[in-house]
Amino acid sequence: MKVDYFEHYKRVNDLSEHGRKSHWGPFERTLGRFLPENRNANIVDIGCGAGVLLEWLLSKGYTHVRGYDCDAGQVSFCQSLKLPVEQADDSAEQLGQCRNVDLVVIKDVLEHMGKEDVARLLVAARQALAPGGRIYISVPNAAASYATYWLYNDPTHMRSYSANVLSLELAIAGFRVKHVGDDDTTAFSSPFGIIRLMLRSFFRFWRRLEAIGEYGAEGLRLPLGLNLVVVAECDVA
């Protein structure tokens, strides 16, 4: 029986206006500092899903944004919101037709793809970017406490990533890594949020000590959040 991915997506995500806008704050804290200053910059969101990121970019005044997704349900939902989204069954092929892109966002996508398809997509992104352009990638973090649960939380996930592996794949595609981190965004917006932050800080402290014990100085820098974030630029050397 064929699974309708968008029906599954709607069950586990709040796609109301309020639900979509609840992601804007986390986007600002994670992706915001990597956005181009020019509001006319050319930004492409690969695997844009329900278009939440595109809505946020448009709300910030970016005028040249577009998204691609392979799921017809997601694309239809985006188009119902008048978002600039097209269906693309082959993301690498679609991205390969783009040029002079300032920022390529590939968020929560690579974990759904095989290694060869990932390599094709990264090369296509490298070719599509303008000089000085950036790629922003978010994937499940293999070093997170709940990495195994997070990996198998979606039936279409194929793998999680370490920073070293993703950095190597980017280098092979012609990128130079500029930032490695995670997307921890727990805010102080409610008493429960404060409790979550306190608990996470407590247990993360012990995880950090364990990482230092296992990896030495590298353990100080090891991202421990659920999602690994890597930002890279075209390697012109």
Side-chain angles (χ1 to χ4, degrees):
M1 182 178 68
K2 185 177 180 180
V3 176
D4 188 324
Y5 186 78
F6 185 54
E7 288 301 319
H8 163 73
Y9 189 86
K10 287 192 297 183
R11 285 196 294 270
V12 297
N13 293 277
D14 181 1
L15 296 184
S16 67
E17 182 178 2
H18 173 75
R20 299 194 310 273
K21 286 185 176 181
S22 69
H23 293 275
W24 290 9
F27 287 158
E28 191 67 50
R29 292 189 290 274
T30 54
L31 177 54
R33 59 187 166 132
F34 300 111
L35 292 177
E37 293 184 6
N38 183 3
R39 291 302 196 270
N40 291 319
N42 189 1
I43 302 176
V44 176
D45 184 5
I46 295 295
C48 64
V52 180
L53 179 63
L54 292 172
E55 279 191 289
W56 171 66
L57 290 170
L58 291 168
S59 76
K60 291 177 66 65
Y62 287 93
T63 56
H64 291 83
V65 302
R66 61 190 184 278
Y68 300 102
D69 202 280
C70 64
D71 184 79
Q74 304 267 41
V75 172
S76 178
F77 179 79
C78 289
Q79 292 176 348
S80 74
L81 299 176
K82 309 301 182 184
L83 296 174
V85 172
E86 298 177 25
Q87 186 168 352
D89 294 328
D90 188 327
S91 297
E93 181 179 344
Q94 184 66 55
L95 191 54
Q97 300 175 22
C98 301
R99 288 295 182 268
N100 296 316
V101 178
D102 297 292
L103 176 65
V104 173
V105 178
I106 306 179
K107 190 176 187 304
D108 307 330
V109 172
L110 299 187
E111 63 269 24
H112 301 270
M113 303 171 65
K115 291 183 179 180
E116 291 184 0
D117 290 331
V118 168
R120 287 182 60 240
L121 181 59
L122 294 182
V123 168
R126 167 68 178 83
Q127 295 170 345
L129 284 171
R134 290 176 170 177
I135 185 171
Y136 177 99
I137 298 175
S138 173
V139 287
N141 182 13
S145 298
Y146 280 83
T148 302
Y149 174 80
W150 199 234
L151 172 62
Y152 294 112
N153 194 41
D154 187 308
T156 64
H157 284 178
M158 300 177 67
R159 57 177 173 163
S160 56
Y161 272 91
S162 70
N164 288 338
V165 168
L166 184 52
S167 296
L168 176 60
E169 290 185 350
L170 284 164
I172 292 172
F175 286 96
R176 181 176 60 257
V177 172
K178 303 294 291 185
H179 168 83
V180 176
D182 56 38
D183 67 350
D184 284 342
T185 56
T186 302
F188 295 91
S189 58
S190 68
F192 181 65
I194 295 174
I195 292 172
R196 279 190 63 199
L197 182 61
M198 292 173 61
L199 287 172
R200 191 180 68 188
S201 298
F202 174 78
F203 289 108
R204 190 68 61 78
F205 172 75
W206 296 106
R207 283 275 292 155
R208 181 63 65 190
L209 290 181
E210 181 182 20
I212 295 170
E214 292 286 355
Y215 298 107
E218 182 183 349
L220 290 168
R221 302 182 298 272
L222 192 67
L224 297 177
L226 284 175
N227 290 311
L228 178 69
V229 170
V230 174
V231 179
E233 295 179 351
C234 300
D235 191 349
V236 295

